[in-house]
Amino acid sequence: MDAFYVTLHITLVFQFISFGSSTCLFGCSCTDDILGRSLLCMETSMGEIPVDIPHDFIKIRIEKSHLTELPRGSFSKVPALEFLWLNFNEIALMNMKSLEGLANLTELRLQGNKLTSVSWTAFQDTPNLKILDLKHNLLDVLPEHALRYLPALTYLDLSFNQLSVIAKEVFMNWPLSQIAEKAWAKEGMVSNVVLGLHDNPWLCDCRLKGFVEFTRAVSPPIILMNSYLMCSGPALKAHKFFHEIQLKSCMRPVTSAPETNITLPLGANATLTCLVKGRPEPTIQWMYSLKIIRGFVASQTNIDEETFSSQLLIPSLHLADRGLYTCTANNFIGNSSVNITVNIASSDSSLPLLPPVPMLSSEENAYIEIHIAKQTVYGITLEWHAATENPAETWFTIHFGKYDSPKKEMIYIGPGINSYSVSNLLPVTKYEVCVTLKNLPPREGQCIVFVTGSDIREMEQKERLIHIIVIVCAMVLAVPVGMYACTTEARFSCVDRFVDLWRMHRMHDENLQEGARQGTFDSLQATSDEALCKSSVEKPTKRRRSEDKCKRGSAAYLY
């Protein structure tokens, strides 16, 4: 009898242990085969990686289960895992430690997800990975050292993504590529490596030159899954195969102008032409002193693959249009610019000519176009553009602080940067921000003075923006919606009028019932230009004239 109970006890314990090891997740199925235990979860609603996955699985397949990310240590409790399939989910984020603890992983499939980038350093934890399937994602960048931690790969599929430019160094720096070249001569030393790179929107300009040459020279053990790679752009090379094109090395832009000194009569139409040669296609901009007030139309045409023409049309020349016009071209290698001087010949010798707009021949009188590009709950983003003789060597100084503060904070900005964000602004406070070349002091036309709104807590709850009232700006500021501006020539009676107007409307709005507009800057009622700067009839003429220069940015407001 005792022997019977002992045998029964052992049997129950064995069954309990077996039951525990065969635990499966709800909504999934588990199987055992020659490779080991497998977990299969298809079309479930789990939404995230389960934390209670049993530790003895060799293969895990979770597909169409609405996964959105791979957090740190997603499968670290399954150290024996060799095969991981997470296809057709909605994974958009991959933590750099998402593969932690998976030293035995040999196959990772992430097909049909929403990855725009991959944490390539995550593969430090998977030294034995042989198969990596990333097709049908949204990858648009492949860093130069992306494959550094994948020395054992035999299959890499990057097809059907959004890759447009890849440097050949991506594959030259791949440890497997370096080993394969040396060992391929010795039969059996290395396996074939299959690469899938097709069906990407390849931009076949100079930046792709090295990669195109790499694909042409590919030979065993590296094999392209589809060797007919096709260009998507630029237009002259679209729909052509890599083996049909010849690409040149990249070069910084070189600008020139058929005429650099133009003289025309008043009222004539002027067309300024700028010729640019560069690879890849550069971005061309025109800079001139009255750009904020008179936005002239610029058109661009392609003469050939590397030569471009930009034309600036100035309709009906005014006296104020005289001055220096700068055509600037930029690409990732560098920039170049050419100056064109516009003069006006007066047909009436008795007509006095106004002083010309300051020329940009020196840094001290260089014109800087400055504006507030973005407003957030706690700050602003400032943008500026300056036409200088050497843009690649020009740095700026930002002077920022409260308007009445004699000492402003100074921030130094290096070449090539034309924006800066200011945060932690106080409500109902007047600030001044100036942008100058190098360490020169601010001068007229290089500053913006603005007043912040109030009711920050209420705006945070509604996820609205601070509304900035710009009261002094560079010439006539092209202010965003919901702002007000005065010219730098306006007297501060106009500024006072702005503040008084806001206070009056705020007091009025605070008396409204719930459901009416809130007492913030976004609820300020639309008012005509005359009403904003309107003076009493009894006040002196000089003050009225200065206040008439006040301009309203818009009658609409941001929400």
Side-chain angles (χ1 to χ4, degrees), residues 212-256:
V212 170
E213 293 173 350
F214 165 79
T215 60
R216 289 174 179 168
V218 161
S219 60
I222 298 177
I223 301 172
L224 291 180
M225 192 182 303
N226 184 342
S227 59
Y228 288 91
L229 303 183
M230 182 180 288
C231 303
S232 292
L236 294 174
K237 289 188 171 64
H239 309 299
K240 291 185 178 181
F241 293 110
F242 280 15
H243 64 267
E244 297 177 324
I245 63 173
Q246 294 293 330
L247 298 178
K248 299 179 180 180
S249 299
C250 295
M251 62 175 285
R252 70 185 294 269
V254 177
T255 56
S256 61

mmCIF file of all heavy atoms in Angstrom, residues 212-256:
data_model
loop_
_atom_site.group_PDB
_atom_site.id
_atom_site.type_symbol
_atom_site.label_atom_id
_atom_site.label_comp_id
_atom_site.label_asym_id
_atom_site.label_seq_id
_atom_site.Cartn_x
_atom_site.Cartn_y
_atom_site.Cartn_z
ATOM 1 N N VAL A 212 25.351 52.637 -56.282
ATOM 2 C CA VAL A 212 25.121 52.081 -57.618
ATOM 3 C C VAL A 212 26.341 51.281 -58.061
ATOM 4 O O VAL A 212 26.221 50.172 -58.608
ATOM 5 C CB VAL A 212 24.800 53.207 -58.625
ATOM 6 C CG1 VAL A 212 24.812 52.672 -60.054
ATOM 7 C CG2 VAL A 212 23.446 53.823 -58.303
ATOM 8 N N GLU A 213 27.513 51.812 -57.813
ATOM 9 C CA GLU A 213 28.734 51.098 -58.175
ATOM 10 C C GLU A 213 28.872 49.809 -57.380
ATOM 11 O O GLU A 213 29.336 48.785 -57.907
ATOM 12 C CB GLU A 213 29.942 52.004 -57.944
ATOM 13 C CG GLU A 213 29.993 53.201 -58.890
ATOM 14 C CD GLU A 213 31.096 54.180 -58.545
ATOM 15 O OE1 GLU A 213 31.701 54.028 -57.457
ATOM 16 O OE2 GLU A 213 31.364 55.096 -59.348
ATOM 17 N N PHE A 214 28.437 49.829 -56.117
ATOM 18 C CA PHE A 214 28.494 48.617 -55.289
ATOM 19 C C PHE A 214 27.590 47.532 -55.860
ATOM 20 O O PHE A 214 27.989 46.363 -55.969
ATOM 21 C CB PHE A 214 28.082 48.957 -53.857
ATOM 22 C CG PHE A 214 27.771 47.750 -53.019
ATOM 23 C CD1 PHE A 214 28.790 46.983 -52.473
ATOM 24 C CD2 PHE A 214 26.448 47.372 -52.787
ATOM 25 C CE1 PHE A 214 28.496 45.868 -51.710
ATOM 26 C CE2 PHE A 214 26.150 46.263 -52.022
ATOM 27 C CZ PHE A 214 27.179 45.496 -51.483
ATOM 28 N N THR A 215 26.361 47.902 -56.243
ATOM 29 C CA THR A 215 25.431 46.889 -56.766
ATOM 30 C C THR A 215 25.931 46.294 -58.074
ATOM 31 O O THR A 215 25.674 45.118 -58.369
ATOM 32 C CB THR A 215 24.034 47.500 -56.976
ATOM 33 O OG1 THR A 215 24.104 48.583 -57.916
ATOM 34 C CG2 THR A 215 23.455 48.011 -55.670
ATOM 35 N N ARG A 216 26.632 47.088 -58.867
ATOM 36 C CA ARG A 216 27.171 46.564 -60.124
ATOM 37 C C ARG A 216 28.309 45.583 -59.876
ATOM 38 O O ARG A 216 28.521 44.644 -60.673
ATOM 39 C CB ARG A 216 27.673 47.713 -60.991
ATOM 40 C CG ARG A 216 26.573 48.584 -61.579
ATOM 41 C CD ARG A 216 27.189 49.759 -62.300
ATOM 42 N NE ARG A 216 26.176 50.616 -62.917
ATOM 43 C CZ ARG A 216 26.417 51.814 -63.414
ATOM 44 N NH1 ARG A 216 27.655 52.288 -63.377
ATOM 45 N NH2 ARG A 216 25.447 52.524 -63.957
ATOM 46 N N ALA A 217 29.048 45.814 -58.806
ATOM 47 C CA ALA A 217 30.223 44.981 -58.534
ATOM 48 C C ALA A 217 29.919 43.807 -57.614
ATOM 49 O O ALA A 217 30.820 43.035 -57.286
ATOM 50 C CB ALA A 217 31.326 45.853 -57.918
ATOM 51 N N VAL A 218 28.661 43.668 -57.183
ATOM 52 C CA VAL A 218 28.309 42.589 -56.261
ATOM 53 C C VAL A 218 28.606 41.240 -56.892
ATOM 54 O O VAL A 218 28.266 40.983 -58.052
ATOM 55 C CB VAL A 218 26.814 42.678 -55.878
ATOM 56 C CG1 VAL A 218 26.328 41.358 -55.323
ATOM 57 C CG2 VAL A 218 26.614 43.758 -54.839
ATOM 58 N N SER A 219 29.242 40.384 -56.122
ATOM 59 C CA SER A 219 29.549 39.029 -56.579
ATOM 60 C C SER A 219 29.514 38.099 -55.382
ATOM 61 O O SER A 219 29.550 38.556 -54.236
ATOM 62 C CB SER A 219 30.923 38.999 -57.257
ATOM 63 O OG SER A 219 31.936 39.407 -56.342
ATOM 64 N N PRO A 220 29.402 36.785 -55.615
ATOM 65 C CA PRO A 220 29.358 35.849 -54.490
ATOM 66 C C PRO A 220 30.512 36.102 -53.536
ATOM 67 O O PRO A 220 31.609 36.458 -53.979
ATOM 68 C CB PRO A 220 29.450 34.482 -55.169
ATOM 69 C CG PRO A 220 28.883 34.720 -56.533
ATOM 70 C CD PRO A 220 29.319 36.111 -56.891
ATOM 71 N N PRO A 221 30.247 35.952 -52.237
ATOM 72 C CA PRO A 221 29.069 35.318 -51.641
ATOM 73 C C PRO A 221 27.846 36.231 -51.493
ATOM 74 O O PRO A 221 26.815 35.779 -51.032
ATOM 75 C CB PRO A 221 29.573 34.884 -50.278
ATOM 76 C CG PRO A 221 30.563 35.954 -49.918
ATOM 77 C CD PRO A 221 31.243 36.307 -51.214
ATOM 78 N N ILE A 222 27.941 37.514 -51.853
ATOM 79 C CA ILE A 222 26.790 38.412 -51.734
ATOM 80 C C ILE A 222 25.958 38.310 -53.010
ATOM 81 O O ILE A 222 26.482 38.476 -54.118
ATOM 82 C CB ILE A 222 27.242 39.856 -51.490
ATOM 83 C CG1 ILE A 222 28.022 39.949 -50.162
ATOM 84 C CG2 ILE A 222 26.047 40.790 -51.452
ATOM 85 C CD1 ILE A 222 28.572 41.329 -49.864
ATOM 86 N N ILE A 223 24.677 38.044 -52.845
ATOM 87 C CA ILE A 223 23.773 37.880 -53.972
ATOM 88 C C ILE A 223 22.571 38.787 -53.786
ATOM 89 O O ILE A 223 21.946 38.806 -52.715
ATOM 90 C CB ILE A 223 23.296 36.412 -54.080
ATOM 91 C CG1 ILE A 223 24.494 35.473 -54.266
ATOM 92 C CG2 ILE A 223 22.298 36.243 -55.220
ATOM 93 C CD1 ILE A 223 24.121 34.006 -54.192
ATOM 94 N N LEU A 224 22.235 39.564 -54.809
ATOM 95 C CA LEU A 224 21.047 40.409 -54.755
ATOM 96 C C LEU A 224 19.819 39.585 -55.103
ATOM 97 O O LEU A 224 19.792 38.880 -56.109
ATOM 98 C CB LEU A 224 21.171 41.584 -55.725
ATOM 99 C CG LEU A 224 22.198 42.663 -55.384
ATOM 100 C CD1 LEU A 224 22.201 43.750 -56.455
ATOM 101 C CD2 LEU A 224 21.917 43.278 -54.027
ATOM 102 N N MET A 225 18.799 39.695 -54.276
ATOM 103 C CA MET A 225 17.549 38.987 -54.515
ATOM 104 C C MET A 225 16.947 39.399 -55.852
ATOM 105 O O MET A 225 16.382 38.591 -56.587
ATOM 106 C CB MET A 225 16.581 39.291 -53.366
ATOM 107 C CG MET A 225 15.354 38.418 -53.310
ATOM 108 S SD MET A 225 14.274 38.923 -51.941
ATOM 109 C CE MET A 225 15.380 38.797 -50.546
ATOM 110 N N ASN A 226 17.044 40.703 -56.152
ATOM 111 C CA ASN A 226 16.601 41.236 -57.434
ATOM 112 C C ASN A 226 17.639 42.262 -57.853
ATOM 113 O O ASN A 226 17.763 43.321 -57.246
ATOM 114 C CB ASN A 226 15.214 41.875 -57.309
ATOM 115 C CG ASN A 226 14.671 42.369 -58.640
ATOM 116 O OD1 ASN A 226 15.419 42.540 -59.607
ATOM 117 N ND2 ASN A 226 13.372 42.616 -58.695
ATOM 118 N N SER A 227 18.376 41.955 -58.911
ATOM 119 C CA SER A 227 19.476 42.837 -59.322
ATOM 120 C C SER A 227 19.004 43.999 -60.188
ATOM 121 O O SER A 227 19.791 44.892 -60.498
ATOM 122 C CB SER A 227 20.531 42.029 -60.084
ATOM 123 O OG SER A 227 19.960 41.425 -61.229
ATOM 124 N N TYR A 228 17.725 44.009 -60.569
ATOM 125 C CA TYR A 228 17.202 45.086 -61.408
ATOM 126 C C TYR A 228 16.623 46.199 -60.526
ATOM 127 O O TYR A 228 15.420 46.342 -60.385
ATOM 128 C CB TYR A 228 16.150 44.544 -62.380
ATOM 129 C CG TYR A 228 16.744 43.715 -63.482
ATOM 130 C CD1 TYR A 228 16.897 42.345 -63.334
ATOM 131 C CD2 TYR A 228 17.184 44.308 -64.665
ATOM 132 C CE1 TYR A 228 17.467 41.575 -64.342
ATOM 133 C CE2 TYR A 228 17.754 43.544 -65.676
ATOM 134 C CZ TYR A 228 17.902 42.181 -65.506
ATOM 135 O OH TYR A 228 18.470 41.423 -66.504
ATOM 136 N N LEU A 229 17.508 46.957 -59.929
ATOM 137 C CA LEU A 229 17.092 48.080 -59.088
ATOM 138 C C LEU A 229 16.790 49.270 -59.991
ATOM 139 O O LEU A 229 17.557 49.574 -60.907
ATOM 140 C CB LEU A 229 18.174 48.424 -58.078
ATOM 141 C CG LEU A 229 18.617 47.283 -57.150
ATOM 142 C CD1 LEU A 229 19.638 47.781 -56.145
ATOM 143 C CD2 LEU A 229 17.436 46.651 -56.443
ATOM 144 N N MET A 230 15.696 49.977 -59.684
ATOM 145 C CA MET A 230 15.217 51.043 -60.570
ATOM 146 C C MET A 230 15.185 52.389 -59.871
ATOM 147 O O MET A 230 14.877 52.480 -58.683
ATOM 148 C CB MET A 230 13.807 50.687 -61.073
ATOM 149 C CG MET A 230 13.219 51.698 -62.045
ATOM 150 S SD MET A 230 11.551 51.228 -62.591
ATOM 151 C CE MET A 230 11.933 49.834 -63.659
ATOM 152 N N CYS A 231 15.482 53.445 -60.628
ATOM 153 C CA CYS A 231 15.454 54.813 -60.105
ATOM 154 C C CYS A 231 14.015 55.335 -60.064
ATOM 155 O O CYS A 231 13.226 55.084 -60.984
ATOM 156 C CB CYS A 231 16.282 55.748 -60.979
ATOM 157 S SG CYS A 231 18.009 55.265 -61.183
ATOM 158 N N SER A 232 13.706 56.085 -59.023
ATOM 159 C CA SER A 232 12.418 56.791 -58.938
ATOM 160 C C SER A 232 12.573 58.269 -59.276
ATOM 161 O O SER A 232 11.601 58.949 -59.558
ATOM 162 C CB SER A 232 11.826 56.641 -57.540
ATOM 163 O OG SER A 232 11.446 55.307 -57.303
ATOM 164 N N GLY A 233 13.766 58.787 -59.214
ATOM 165 C CA GLY A 233 14.033 60.186 -59.509
ATOM 166 C C GLY A 233 15.532 60.398 -59.573
ATOM 167 O O GLY A 233 16.313 59.485 -59.292
ATOM 168 N N PRO A 234 15.959 61.617 -59.982
ATOM 169 C CA PRO A 234 15.131 62.739 -60.461
ATOM 170 C C PRO A 234 14.467 62.420 -61.796
ATOM 171 O O PRO A 234 14.656 61.334 -62.339
ATOM 172 C CB PRO A 234 16.146 63.882 -60.577
ATOM 173 C CG PRO A 234 17.465 63.186 -60.745
ATOM 174 C CD PRO A 234 17.397 61.910 -59.989
ATOM 175 N N ALA A 235 13.707 63.389 -62.311
ATOM 176 C CA ALA A 235 12.850 63.142 -63.470
ATOM 177 C C ALA A 235 13.615 62.571 -64.659
ATOM 178 O O ALA A 235 13.114 61.683 -65.358
ATOM 179 C CB ALA A 235 12.129 64.438 -63.861
ATOM 180 N N LEU A 236 14.832 63.049 -64.893
ATOM 181 C CA LEU A 236 15.592 62.611 -66.058
ATOM 182 C C LEU A 236 16.061 61.159 -65.958
ATOM 183 O O LEU A 236 16.441 60.554 -66.969
ATOM 184 C CB LEU A 236 16.797 63.531 -66.290
ATOM 185 C CG LEU A 236 16.467 64.984 -66.673
ATOM 186 C CD1 LEU A 236 17.732 65.824 -66.723
ATOM 187 C CD2 LEU A 236 15.744 65.029 -68.018
ATOM 188 N N LYS A 237 16.033 60.603 -64.748
ATOM 189 C CA LYS A 237 16.500 59.223 -64.568
ATOM 190 C C LYS A 237 15.395 58.297 -64.058
ATOM 191 O O LYS A 237 15.647 57.107 -63.823
ATOM 192 C CB LYS A 237 17.684 59.201 -63.597
ATOM 193 C CG LYS A 237 18.954 59.796 -64.177
ATOM 194 C CD LYS A 237 20.125 59.573 -63.238
ATOM 195 C CE LYS A 237 21.434 59.971 -63.909
ATOM 196 N NZ LYS A 237 21.517 61.373 -64.219
ATOM 197 N N ALA A 238 14.205 58.819 -63.870
ATOM 198 C CA ALA A 238 13.104 58.001 -63.347
ATOM 199 C C ALA A 238 12.831 56.818 -64.273
ATOM 200 O O ALA A 238 12.875 56.947 -65.502
ATOM 201 C CB ALA A 238 11.850 58.861 -63.187
ATOM 202 N N HIS A 239 12.560 55.669 -63.642
ATOM 203 C CA HIS A 239 12.201 54.423 -64.345
ATOM 204 C C HIS A 239 13.366 53.810 -65.118
ATOM 205 O O HIS A 239 13.153 52.904 -65.938
ATOM 206 C CB HIS A 239 11.016 54.650 -65.291
ATOM 207 C CG HIS A 239 9.843 55.311 -64.638
ATOM 208 N ND1 HIS A 239 9.172 54.742 -63.571
ATOM 209 C CD2 HIS A 239 9.242 56.500 -64.877
ATOM 210 C CE1 HIS A 239 8.196 55.546 -63.191
ATOM 211 N NE2 HIS A 239 8.219 56.619 -63.958
ATOM 212 N N LYS A 240 14.575 54.262 -64.852
ATOM 213 C CA LYS A 240 15.746 53.631 -65.458
ATOM 214 C C LYS A 240 16.398 52.695 -64.440
ATOM 215 O O LYS A 240 16.384 52.944 -63.237
ATOM 216 C CB LYS A 240 16.757 54.694 -65.911
ATOM 217 C CG LYS A 240 16.280 55.529 -67.088
ATOM 218 C CD LYS A 240 17.382 56.472 -67.565
ATOM 219 C CE LYS A 240 16.909 57.268 -68.780
ATOM 220 N NZ LYS A 240 17.974 58.174 -69.281
ATOM 221 N N PHE A 241 16.995 51.605 -64.949
ATOM 222 C CA PHE A 241 17.688 50.669 -64.075
ATOM 223 C C PHE A 241 19.087 51.176 -63.746
ATOM 224 O O PHE A 241 19.674 51.962 -64.503
ATOM 225 C CB PHE A 241 17.784 49.292 -64.742
ATOM 226 C CG PHE A 241 16.455 48.615 -64.921
ATOM 227 C CD1 PHE A 241 15.909 48.458 -66.178
ATOM 228 C CD2 PHE A 241 15.745 48.151 -63.818
ATOM 229 C CE1 PHE A 241 14.684 47.837 -66.349
ATOM 230 C CE2 PHE A 241 14.518 47.536 -63.970
ATOM 231 C CZ PHE A 241 13.972 47.377 -65.239
ATOM 232 N N PHE A 242 19.602 50.716 -62.612
ATOM 233 C CA PHE A 242 20.923 51.154 -62.179
ATOM 234 C C PHE A 242 21.978 50.927 -63.262
ATOM 235 O O PHE A 242 22.891 51.745 -63.429
ATOM 236 C CB PHE A 242 21.338 50.421 -60.899
ATOM 237 C CG PHE A 242 20.717 50.994 -59.640
ATOM 238 C CD1 PHE A 242 19.644 51.869 -59.707
ATOM 239 C CD2 PHE A 242 21.214 50.655 -58.386
ATOM 240 C CE1 PHE A 242 19.073 52.389 -58.556
ATOM 241 C CE2 PHE A 242 20.647 51.177 -57.230
ATOM 242 C CZ PHE A 242 19.574 52.041 -57.320
ATOM 243 N N HIS A 243 21.893 49.807 -63.982
ATOM 244 C CA HIS A 243 22.938 49.501 -64.963
ATOM 245 C C HIS A 243 22.830 50.368 -66.219
ATOM 246 O O HIS A 243 23.704 50.307 -67.095
ATOM 247 C CB HIS A 243 22.891 48.014 -65.336
ATOM 248 C CG HIS A 243 21.627 47.599 -66.028
ATOM 249 N ND1 HIS A 243 20.548 47.091 -65.343
ATOM 250 C CD2 HIS A 243 21.264 47.622 -67.338
ATOM 251 C CE1 HIS A 243 19.576 46.806 -66.192
ATOM 252 N NE2 HIS A 243 19.992 47.124 -67.417
ATOM 253 N N GLU A 244 21.779 51.194 -66.294
ATOM 254 C CA GLU A 244 21.595 52.055 -67.465
ATOM 255 C C GLU A 244 22.066 53.487 -67.233
ATOM 256 O O GLU A 244 22.028 54.305 -68.154
ATOM 257 C CB GLU A 244 20.110 52.100 -67.862
ATOM 258 C CG GLU A 244 19.540 50.762 -68.287
ATOM 259 C CD GLU A 244 18.061 50.840 -68.599
ATOM 260 O OE1 GLU A 244 17.341 51.609 -67.919
ATOM 261 O OE2 GLU A 244 17.617 50.124 -69.516
ATOM 262 N N ILE A 245 22.479 53.824 -66.036
ATOM 263 C CA ILE A 245 22.799 55.214 -65.717
ATOM 264 C C ILE A 245 24.264 55.382 -65.347
ATOM 265 O O ILE A 245 24.945 54.429 -64.957
ATOM 266 C CB ILE A 245 21.925 55.746 -64.554
ATOM 267 C CG1 ILE A 245 22.200 54.946 -63.277
ATOM 268 C CG2 ILE A 245 20.454 55.693 -64.919
ATOM 269 C CD1 ILE A 245 21.521 55.506 -62.047
ATOM 270 N N GLN A 246 24.736 56.610 -65.503
ATOM 271 C CA GLN A 246 26.072 56.994 -65.071
ATOM 272 C C GLN A 246 25.940 58.194 -64.139
ATOM 273 O O GLN A 246 25.300 59.183 -64.492
ATOM 274 C CB GLN A 246 26.961 57.353 -66.261
ATOM 275 C CG GLN A 246 27.272 56.190 -67.183
ATOM 276 C CD GLN A 246 28.134 55.135 -66.524
ATOM 277 O OE1 GLN A 246 28.957 55.445 -65.644
ATOM 278 N NE2 GLN A 246 27.953 53.879 -66.929
ATOM 279 N N LEU A 247 26.503 58.095 -62.960
ATOM 280 C CA LEU A 247 26.391 59.170 -61.966
ATOM 281 C C LEU A 247 27.748 59.817 -61.732
ATOM 282 O O LEU A 247 28.776 59.136 -61.719
ATOM 283 C CB LEU A 247 25.841 58.628 -60.645
ATOM 284 C CG LEU A 247 24.429 58.025 -60.698
ATOM 285 C CD1 LEU A 247 24.031 57.486 -59.337
ATOM 286 C CD2 LEU A 247 23.421 59.068 -61.158
ATOM 287 N N LYS A 248 27.734 61.121 -61.538
ATOM 288 C CA LYS A 248 28.949 61.877 -61.266
ATOM 289 C C LYS A 248 29.067 62.162 -59.774
ATOM 290 O O LYS A 248 28.098 62.036 -59.024
ATOM 291 C CB LYS A 248 28.944 63.195 -62.047
ATOM 292 C CG LYS A 248 28.900 63.018 -63.560
ATOM 293 C CD LYS A 248 28.880 64.376 -64.264
ATOM 294 C CE LYS A 248 28.834 64.217 -65.770
ATOM 295 N NZ LYS A 248 28.802 65.533 -66.467
ATOM 296 N N SER A 249 30.240 62.582 -59.364
ATOM 297 C CA SER A 249 30.465 62.924 -57.957
ATOM 298 C C SER A 249 29.737 64.215 -57.609
ATOM 299 O O SER A 249 29.465 65.060 -58.468
ATOM 300 C CB SER A 249 31.969 63.088 -57.682
ATOM 301 O OG SER A 249 32.656 61.888 -57.954
ATOM 302 N N CYS A 250 29.435 64.362 -56.334
ATOM 303 C CA CYS A 250 28.726 65.561 -55.871
ATOM 304 C C CYS A 250 29.657 66.771 -55.889
ATOM 305 O O CYS A 250 30.880 66.638 -55.746
ATOM 306 C CB CYS A 250 28.185 65.343 -54.465
ATOM 307 S SG CYS A 250 26.925 64.050 -54.369
ATOM 308 N N MET A 251 29.074 67.943 -56.051
ATOM 309 C CA MET A 251 29.845 69.183 -56.040
ATOM 310 C C MET A 251 29.016 70.305 -55.421
ATOM 311 O O MET A 251 27.784 70.312 -55.506
ATOM 312 C CB MET A 251 30.253 69.582 -57.465
ATOM 313 C CG MET A 251 29.091 69.853 -58.409
ATOM 314 S SD MET A 251 29.582 70.454 -60.048
ATOM 315 C CE MET A 251 30.027 72.152 -59.650
ATOM 316 N N ARG A 252 29.699 71.205 -54.744
ATOM 317 C CA ARG A 252 29.022 72.345 -54.144
ATOM 318 C C ARG A 252 28.509 73.271 -55.244
ATOM 319 O O ARG A 252 29.057 73.317 -56.351
ATOM 320 C CB ARG A 252 29.945 73.099 -53.190
ATOM 321 C CG ARG A 252 31.063 73.845 -53.869
ATOM 322 C CD ARG A 252 32.002 74.477 -52.848
ATOM 323 N NE ARG A 252 31.363 75.520 -52.087
ATOM 324 C CZ ARG A 252 31.366 76.797 -52.434
ATOM 325 N NH1 ARG A 252 31.966 77.180 -53.548
ATOM 326 N NH2 ARG A 252 30.790 77.703 -51.675
ATOM 327 N N PRO A 253 27.453 74.031 -54.965
ATOM 328 C CA PRO A 253 26.885 74.908 -55.989
ATOM 329 C C PRO A 253 27.867 76.000 -56.418
ATOM 330 O O PRO A 253 28.673 76.489 -55.620
ATOM 331 C CB PRO A 253 25.660 75.517 -55.303
ATOM 332 C CG PRO A 253 25.360 74.621 -54.160
ATOM 333 C CD PRO A 253 26.675 74.072 -53.716
ATOM 334 N N VAL A 254 27.768 76.358 -57.673
ATOM 335 C CA VAL A 254 28.505 77.508 -58.223
ATOM 336 C C VAL A 254 27.468 78.421 -58.861
ATOM 337 O O VAL A 254 26.734 78.003 -59.758
ATOM 338 C CB VAL A 254 29.554 77.079 -59.264
ATOM 339 C CG1 VAL A 254 30.232 78.302 -59.859
ATOM 340 C CG2 VAL A 254 30.581 76.144 -58.639
ATOM 341 N N THR A 255 27.390 79.665 -58.381
ATOM 342 C CA THR A 255 26.380 80.607 -58.882
ATOM 343 C C THR A 255 27.012 81.654 -59.782
ATOM 344 O O THR A 255 28.170 82.043 -59.607
ATOM 345 C CB THR A 255 25.663 81.307 -57.714
ATOM 346 O OG1 THR A 255 26.648 81.944 -56.884
ATOM 347 C CG2 THR A 255 24.861 80.330 -56.879
ATOM 348 N N SER A 256 26.230 82.124 -60.742
ATOM 349 C CA SER A 256 26.669 83.203 -61.626
ATOM 350 C C SER A 256 25.430 83.936 -62.130
ATOM 351 O O SER A 256 24.304 83.468 -61.944
ATOM 352 C CB SER A 256 27.475 82.651 -62.807
ATOM 353 O OG SER A 256 26.677 81.766 -63.587
#
